[in-house]
Amino acid sequence: MDAILLHREQIQSTVRHLAEAISKDFEGKELLAVGILKGSFIFMADLVRHITVPVTIDFIDISSYGLAAESSGEVRILKDLDTSVEGRNVLVVEDIVDTGLTLKYLLGILRERNPRSLRVCTLLDKPSRRRTVVTLDYCGFEIPDVFVVGYGLDYAEKYRNYPDIWVIKPSS
Ligand code: PRP
């Protein structure tokens, strides 16, 4: 473990600001927050507690780092949503956008299901790694091309429970 990149206080403050912006934009409307497993689960839990419009929650699990995803952007749905998105205001909640391939694929799937609106909220953005164009409506932090863990993000399934976000050397 190298060093803390984002302290828990910084994260919580930014999460509150994101939730305020979302609540303002969706005033008078209802929201379906769709978390992408597993990384988004802590961010989702904190974010929705600060959202002041009525919100329902669902999760989808997509494999993003298989060989297929790296080469073509084709990724698999491991667990689909439980609810229909048709006619609803959907907010996709991500922990990190890296190449953008996972998000692009997911947005394509969701658009075909005819939501009323489709927005994206990510805690972290690594723009230097992008391989496709995706629009991020709400973004917490832009970070450099370093491997990060904590606050839901893992290395080999470890460290998701760390309250701060750390930089890690993937070999450690
Ligand atoms: C991470 C992250 C995003 C995706 C971003 O998920 O949660 O879903 O990678 O990468 P991309 O922009 O290059 O597609 P991961 O596959 O590590 O699974 P996890 O959320 O279960 O940790």
Side-chain angles (χ1 to χ4, degrees), residues 64-65 69-70 73 75 96-104 125-134 145:
S64 63
Y65 279 158
E70 281 295 330
V75 293
I96 186 166
V97 178
D98 193 324
T99 65
L101 293 174
T102 305
L103 190 56
K104 187 178 183 189
D125 179 20
K126 241 191 225 183
S128 61
R129 292 260 306 164
R130 201 73 91 247
R131 286 177 49 194
T132 186
V133 177
V134 281
D145 187 12

PDB file of all heavy atoms in Angstrom, residues 64-65 69-70 73 75 96-104 125-134 145:
ATOM      1  N   SER A  64     -16.138  -6.962 -16.883  1.00  0.00           N
ATOM      2  CA  SER A  64     -15.539  -5.918 -17.714  1.00  0.00           C
ATOM      3  C   SER A  64     -14.077  -6.162 -18.054  1.00  0.00           C
ATOM      4  O   SER A  64     -13.580  -5.565 -18.994  1.00  0.00           O
ATOM      5  CB  SER A  64     -15.644  -4.563 -17.015  1.00  0.00           C
ATOM      6  OG  SER A  64     -14.923  -4.577 -15.817  1.00  0.00           O
ATOM      7  N   TYR A  65     -13.411  -6.999 -17.306  1.00  0.00           N
ATOM      8  CA  TYR A  65     -11.986  -7.127 -17.549  1.00  0.00           C
ATOM      9  C   TYR A  65     -11.574  -8.472 -18.123  1.00  0.00           C
ATOM     10  O   TYR A  65     -10.435  -8.871 -18.021  1.00  0.00           O
ATOM     11  CB  TYR A  65     -11.184  -6.818 -16.289  1.00  0.00           C
ATOM     12  CG  TYR A  65     -11.010  -5.341 -16.077  1.00  0.00           C
ATOM     13  CD1 TYR A  65     -10.724  -4.810 -14.833  1.00  0.00           C
ATOM     14  CD2 TYR A  65     -11.130  -4.471 -17.142  1.00  0.00           C
ATOM     15  CE1 TYR A  65     -10.571  -3.460 -14.652  1.00  0.00           C
ATOM     16  CE2 TYR A  65     -10.980  -3.115 -16.976  1.00  0.00           C
ATOM     17  CZ  TYR A  65     -10.693  -2.601 -15.723  1.00  0.00           C
ATOM     18  OH  TYR A  65     -10.537  -1.262 -15.546  1.00  0.00           O
ATOM     19  N   ALA A  69     -13.608  -8.154 -23.272  1.00  0.00           N
ATOM     20  CA  ALA A  69     -13.843  -6.740 -22.994  1.00  0.00           C
ATOM     21  C   ALA A  69     -12.651  -5.902 -23.437  1.00  0.00           C
ATOM     22  O   ALA A  69     -12.812  -4.837 -24.016  1.00  0.00           O
ATOM     23  CB  ALA A  69     -14.097  -6.537 -21.503  1.00  0.00           C
ATOM     24  N   GLU A  70     -11.468  -6.382 -23.155  1.00  0.00           N
ATOM     25  CA  GLU A  70     -10.261  -5.629 -23.510  1.00  0.00           C
ATOM     26  C   GLU A  70     -10.152  -5.442 -25.017  1.00  0.00           C
ATOM     27  O   GLU A  70      -9.768  -4.397 -25.497  1.00  0.00           O
ATOM     28  CB  GLU A  70      -9.012  -6.366 -22.988  1.00  0.00           C
ATOM     29  CG  GLU A  70      -8.756  -6.165 -21.508  1.00  0.00           C
ATOM     30  CD  GLU A  70      -8.418  -4.712 -21.169  1.00  0.00           C
ATOM     31  OE1 GLU A  70      -7.839  -4.010 -22.005  1.00  0.00           O
ATOM     32  OE2 GLU A  70      -8.744  -4.283 -20.049  1.00  0.00           O
ATOM     33  N   GLY A  73     -14.758  -4.635 -26.405  1.00  0.00           N
ATOM     34  CA  GLY A  73     -15.801  -3.916 -25.705  1.00  0.00           C
ATOM     35  C   GLY A  73     -17.022  -4.775 -25.433  1.00  0.00           C
ATOM     36  O   GLY A  73     -17.968  -4.337 -24.790  1.00  0.00           O
ATOM     37  N   VAL A  75     -18.925  -7.223 -23.405  1.00  0.00           N
ATOM     38  CA  VAL A  75     -18.856  -7.776 -22.051  1.00  0.00           C
ATOM     39  C   VAL A  75     -20.163  -8.492 -21.716  1.00  0.00           C
ATOM     40  O   VAL A  75     -21.181  -8.295 -22.387  1.00  0.00           O
ATOM     41  CB  VAL A  75     -18.542  -6.691 -21.005  1.00  0.00           C
ATOM     42  CG1 VAL A  75     -17.138  -6.150 -21.207  1.00  0.00           C
ATOM     43  CG2 VAL A  75     -19.545  -5.562 -21.071  1.00  0.00           C
ATOM     44  N   ILE A  96     -15.750   3.828 -10.727  1.00  0.00           N
ATOM     45  CA  ILE A  96     -14.657   4.374 -11.538  1.00  0.00           C
ATOM     46  C   ILE A  96     -14.926   4.120 -13.020  1.00  0.00           C
ATOM     47  O   ILE A  96     -15.433   3.070 -13.393  1.00  0.00           O
ATOM     48  CB  ILE A  96     -13.289   3.765 -11.112  1.00  0.00           C
ATOM     49  CG1 ILE A  96     -12.122   4.434 -11.845  1.00  0.00           C
ATOM     50  CG2 ILE A  96     -13.261   2.255 -11.288  1.00  0.00           C
ATOM     51  CD1 ILE A  96     -10.753   4.139 -11.243  1.00  0.00           C
ATOM     52  N   VAL A  97     -14.596   5.129 -13.827  1.00  0.00           N
ATOM     53  CA  VAL A  97     -14.627   4.965 -15.280  1.00  0.00           C
ATOM     54  C   VAL A  97     -13.182   5.042 -15.753  1.00  0.00           C
ATOM     55  O   VAL A  97     -12.487   6.023 -15.507  1.00  0.00           O
ATOM     56  CB  VAL A  97     -15.485   6.045 -15.958  1.00  0.00           C
ATOM     57  CG1 VAL A  97     -15.441   5.875 -17.478  1.00  0.00           C
ATOM     58  CG2 VAL A  97     -16.925   5.975 -15.457  1.00  0.00           C
ATOM     59  N   ASP A  98     -12.766   3.978 -16.413  1.00  0.00           N
ATOM     60  CA  ASP A  98     -11.366   3.806 -16.813  1.00  0.00           C
ATOM     61  C   ASP A  98     -11.315   3.878 -18.346  1.00  0.00           C
ATOM     62  O   ASP A  98     -11.325   4.967 -18.915  1.00  0.00           O
ATOM     63  CB  ASP A  98     -10.926   2.445 -16.256  1.00  0.00           C
ATOM     64  CG  ASP A  98      -9.439   2.208 -16.291  1.00  0.00           C
ATOM     65  OD1 ASP A  98      -8.797   2.649 -17.242  1.00  0.00           O
ATOM     66  OD2 ASP A  98      -8.907   1.567 -15.369  1.00  0.00           O
ATOM     67  N   THR A  99     -11.340   2.738 -19.031  1.00  0.00           N
ATOM     68  CA  THR A  99     -11.402   2.768 -20.500  1.00  0.00           C
ATOM     69  C   THR A  99     -12.749   3.301 -20.978  1.00  0.00           C
ATOM     70  O   THR A  99     -12.868   3.798 -22.092  1.00  0.00           O
ATOM     71  CB  THR A  99     -11.210   1.358 -21.095  1.00  0.00           C
ATOM     72  OG1 THR A  99     -12.302   0.524 -20.694  1.00  0.00           O
ATOM     73  CG2 THR A  99      -9.893   0.740 -20.657  1.00  0.00           C
ATOM     74  N   GLY A 100     -13.784   3.141 -20.153  1.00  0.00           N
ATOM     75  CA  GLY A 100     -15.134   3.553 -20.542  1.00  0.00           C
ATOM     76  C   GLY A 100     -15.920   2.441 -21.216  1.00  0.00           C
ATOM     77  O   GLY A 100     -17.113   2.602 -21.504  1.00  0.00           O
ATOM     78  N   LEU A 101     -15.273   1.300 -21.466  1.00  0.00           N
ATOM     79  CA  LEU A 101     -15.934   0.224 -22.223  1.00  0.00           C
ATOM     80  C   LEU A 101     -17.117  -0.376 -21.465  1.00  0.00           C
ATOM     81  O   LEU A 101     -18.158  -0.658 -22.044  1.00  0.00           O
ATOM     82  CB  LEU A 101     -14.910  -0.873 -22.564  1.00  0.00           C
ATOM     83  CG  LEU A 101     -13.812  -0.450 -23.546  1.00  0.00           C
ATOM     84  CD1 LEU A 101     -12.771  -1.569 -23.692  1.00  0.00           C
ATOM     85  CD2 LEU A 101     -14.405  -0.104 -24.904  1.00  0.00           C
ATOM     86  N   THR A 102     -16.959  -0.560 -20.156  1.00  0.00           N
ATOM     87  CA  THR A 102     -18.051  -1.121 -19.353  1.00  0.00           C
ATOM     88  C   THR A 102     -19.279  -0.214 -19.427  1.00  0.00           C
ATOM     89  O   THR A 102     -20.396  -0.665 -19.677  1.00  0.00           O
ATOM     90  CB  THR A 102     -17.623  -1.239 -17.869  1.00  0.00           C
ATOM     91  OG1 THR A 102     -16.425  -2.004 -17.795  1.00  0.00           O
ATOM     92  CG2 THR A 102     -18.703  -1.887 -17.025  1.00  0.00           C
ATOM     93  N   LEU A 103     -19.026   1.069 -19.223  1.00  0.00           N
ATOM     94  CA  LEU A 103     -20.122   2.036 -19.196  1.00  0.00           C
ATOM     95  C   LEU A 103     -20.788   2.151 -20.559  1.00  0.00           C
ATOM     96  O   LEU A 103     -22.014   2.182 -20.670  1.00  0.00           O
ATOM     97  CB  LEU A 103     -19.565   3.383 -18.748  1.00  0.00           C
ATOM     98  CG  LEU A 103     -20.580   4.451 -18.421  1.00  0.00           C
ATOM     99  CD1 LEU A 103     -21.551   3.978 -17.351  1.00  0.00           C
ATOM    100  CD2 LEU A 103     -19.863   5.706 -17.958  1.00  0.00           C
ATOM    101  N   LYS A 104     -19.989   2.198 -21.603  1.00  0.00           N
ATOM    102  CA  LYS A 104     -20.547   2.330 -22.947  1.00  0.00           C
ATOM    103  C   LYS A 104     -21.469   1.144 -23.244  1.00  0.00           C
ATOM    104  O   LYS A 104     -22.567   1.312 -23.777  1.00  0.00           O
ATOM    105  CB  LYS A 104     -19.431   2.404 -23.985  1.00  0.00           C
ATOM    106  CG  LYS A 104     -19.978   2.715 -25.353  1.00  0.00           C
ATOM    107  CD  LYS A 104     -18.902   2.845 -26.391  1.00  0.00           C
ATOM    108  CE  LYS A 104     -19.548   3.237 -27.731  1.00  0.00           C
ATOM    109  NZ  LYS A 104     -18.573   3.171 -28.819  1.00  0.00           N
ATOM    110  N   ASP A 125     -12.880   9.235 -12.082  1.00  0.00           N
ATOM    111  CA  ASP A 125     -12.705   9.216 -13.536  1.00  0.00           C
ATOM    112  C   ASP A 125     -11.209   9.215 -13.822  1.00  0.00           C
ATOM    113  O   ASP A 125     -10.454  10.017 -13.264  1.00  0.00           O
ATOM    114  CB  ASP A 125     -13.359  10.479 -14.144  1.00  0.00           C
ATOM    115  CG  ASP A 125     -13.185  10.538 -15.647  1.00  0.00           C
ATOM    116  OD1 ASP A 125     -12.921   9.489 -16.270  1.00  0.00           O
ATOM    117  OD2 ASP A 125     -13.335  11.652 -16.212  1.00  0.00           O
ATOM    118  N   LYS A 126     -10.793   8.264 -14.668  1.00  0.00           N
ATOM    119  CA  LYS A 126      -9.393   8.190 -15.099  1.00  0.00           C
ATOM    120  C   LYS A 126      -9.348   8.506 -16.589  1.00  0.00           C
ATOM    121  O   LYS A 126      -9.243   7.614 -17.431  1.00  0.00           O
ATOM    122  CB  LYS A 126      -8.909   6.747 -14.899  1.00  0.00           C
ATOM    123  CG  LYS A 126      -7.767   6.542 -13.951  1.00  0.00           C
ATOM    124  CD  LYS A 126      -7.280   5.125 -14.097  1.00  0.00           C
ATOM    125  CE  LYS A 126      -7.062   4.494 -12.758  1.00  0.00           C
ATOM    126  NZ  LYS A 126      -6.522   3.123 -12.894  1.00  0.00           N
ATOM    127  N   PRO A 127      -9.440   9.791 -16.963  1.00  0.00           N
ATOM    128  CA  PRO A 127      -9.603  10.137 -18.384  1.00  0.00           C
ATOM    129  C   PRO A 127      -8.431   9.712 -19.261  1.00  0.00           C
ATOM    130  O   PRO A 127      -8.625   9.464 -20.456  1.00  0.00           O
ATOM    131  CB  PRO A 127      -9.753  11.667 -18.360  1.00  0.00           C
ATOM    132  CG  PRO A 127      -9.324  12.111 -17.018  1.00  0.00           C
ATOM    133  CD  PRO A 127      -9.461  10.969 -16.082  1.00  0.00           C
ATOM    134  N   SER A 128      -7.232   9.608 -18.679  1.00  0.00           N
ATOM    135  CA  SER A 128      -6.069   9.253 -19.501  1.00  0.00           C
ATOM    136  C   SER A 128      -6.147   7.836 -20.052  1.00  0.00           C
ATOM    137  O   SER A 128      -5.416   7.475 -20.963  1.00  0.00           O
ATOM    138  CB  SER A 128      -4.786   9.405 -18.676  1.00  0.00           C
ATOM    139  OG  SER A 128      -4.832   8.523 -17.567  1.00  0.00           O
ATOM    140  N   ARG A 129      -7.028   7.003 -19.496  1.00  0.00           N
ATOM    141  CA  ARG A 129      -7.142   5.607 -19.931  1.00  0.00           C
ATOM    142  C   ARG A 129      -8.285   5.386 -20.933  1.00  0.00           C
ATOM    143  O   ARG A 129      -8.511   4.277 -21.397  1.00  0.00           O
ATOM    144  CB  ARG A 129      -7.401   4.729 -18.702  1.00  0.00           C
ATOM    145  CG  ARG A 129      -6.221   4.650 -17.759  1.00  0.00           C
ATOM    146  CD  ARG A 129      -5.459   3.382 -17.947  1.00  0.00           C
ATOM    147  NE  ARG A 129      -6.355   2.221 -17.835  1.00  0.00           N
ATOM    148  CZ  ARG A 129      -6.036   1.007 -18.258  1.00  0.00           C
ATOM    149  NH1 ARG A 129      -4.878   0.787 -18.836  1.00  0.00           N
ATOM    150  NH2 ARG A 129      -6.891   0.003 -18.115  1.00  0.00           N
ATOM    151  N   ARG A 130      -9.005   6.444 -21.266  1.00  0.00           N
ATOM    152  CA  ARG A 130     -10.231   6.263 -22.037  1.00  0.00           C
ATOM    153  C   ARG A 130      -9.973   5.686 -23.422  1.00  0.00           C
ATOM    154  O   ARG A 130      -9.044   6.098 -24.113  1.00  0.00           O
ATOM    155  CB  ARG A 130     -10.937   7.622 -22.170  1.00  0.00           C
ATOM    156  CG  ARG A 130     -12.405   7.466 -22.494  1.00  0.00           C
ATOM    157  CD  ARG A 130     -13.255   6.972 -21.300  1.00  0.00           C
ATOM    158  NE  ARG A 130     -13.760   8.102 -20.564  1.00  0.00           N
ATOM    159  CZ  ARG A 130     -13.368   8.387 -19.330  1.00  0.00           C
ATOM    160  NH1 ARG A 130     -12.508   7.613 -18.695  1.00  0.00           N
ATOM    161  NH2 ARG A 130     -13.842   9.432 -18.719  1.00  0.00           N
ATOM    162  N   ARG A 131     -10.806   4.721 -23.811  1.00  0.00           N
ATOM    163  CA  ARG A 131     -10.712   4.141 -25.155  1.00  0.00           C
ATOM    164  C   ARG A 131     -11.972   4.381 -25.974  1.00  0.00           C
ATOM    165  O   ARG A 131     -12.044   3.994 -27.129  1.00  0.00           O
ATOM    166  CB  ARG A 131     -10.443   2.641 -25.049  1.00  0.00           C
ATOM    167  CG  ARG A 131      -9.008   2.354 -24.618  1.00  0.00           C
ATOM    168  CD  ARG A 131      -8.769   0.870 -24.443  1.00  0.00           C
ATOM    169  NE  ARG A 131      -9.238   0.109 -25.579  1.00  0.00           N
ATOM    170  CZ  ARG A 131      -9.393  -1.208 -25.584  1.00  0.00           C
ATOM    171  NH1 ARG A 131      -9.105  -1.900 -24.511  1.00  0.00           N
ATOM    172  NH2 ARG A 131      -9.827  -1.840 -26.650  1.00  0.00           N
ATOM    173  N   THR A 132     -12.959   4.982 -25.356  1.00  0.00           N
ATOM    174  CA  THR A 132     -14.196   5.277 -26.079  1.00  0.00           C
ATOM    175  C   THR A 132     -14.834   6.514 -25.440  1.00  0.00           C
ATOM    176  O   THR A 132     -14.522   6.841 -24.289  1.00  0.00           O
ATOM    177  CB  THR A 132     -15.157   4.071 -26.029  1.00  0.00           C
ATOM    178  OG1 THR A 132     -16.287   4.335 -26.851  1.00  0.00           O
ATOM    179  CG2 THR A 132     -15.639   3.776 -24.614  1.00  0.00           C
ATOM    180  N   VAL A 133     -15.687   7.178 -26.176  1.00  0.00           N
ATOM    181  CA  VAL A 133     -16.283   8.418 -25.651  1.00  0.00           C
ATOM    182  C   VAL A 133     -17.523   8.079 -24.817  1.00  0.00           C
ATOM    183  O   VAL A 133     -18.426   7.396 -25.294  1.00  0.00           O
ATOM    184  CB  VAL A 133     -16.687   9.356 -26.817  1.00  0.00           C
ATOM    185  CG1 VAL A 133     -17.374  10.608 -26.278  1.00  0.00           C
ATOM    186  CG2 VAL A 133     -15.470   9.723 -27.638  1.00  0.00           C
ATOM    187  N   VAL A 134     -17.527   8.521 -23.573  1.00  0.00           N
ATOM    188  CA  VAL A 134     -18.714   8.392 -22.730  1.00  0.00           C
ATOM    189  C   VAL A 134     -18.935   9.720 -21.998  1.00  0.00           C
ATOM    190  O   VAL A 134     -17.979  10.383 -21.610  1.00  0.00           O
ATOM    191  CB  VAL A 134     -18.591   7.245 -21.680  1.00  0.00           C
ATOM    192  CG1 VAL A 134     -18.838   5.895 -22.298  1.00  0.00           C
ATOM    193  CG2 VAL A 134     -17.268   7.288 -20.950  1.00  0.00           C
ATOM    194  N   ASP A 145      -3.436   8.020 -13.787  1.00  0.00           N
ATOM    195  CA  ASP A 145      -3.429   6.595 -14.120  1.00  0.00           C
ATOM    196  C   ASP A 145      -2.641   5.806 -13.074  1.00  0.00           C
ATOM    197  O   ASP A 145      -1.511   5.388 -13.313  1.00  0.00           O
ATOM    198  CB  ASP A 145      -2.833   6.392 -15.518  1.00  0.00           C
ATOM    199  CG  ASP A 145      -2.958   4.946 -15.959  1.00  0.00           C
ATOM    200  OD1 ASP A 145      -3.698   4.184 -15.300  1.00  0.00           O
ATOM    201  OD2 ASP A 145      -2.308   4.585 -16.953  1.00  0.00           O
TER     202      ASP A 145
END
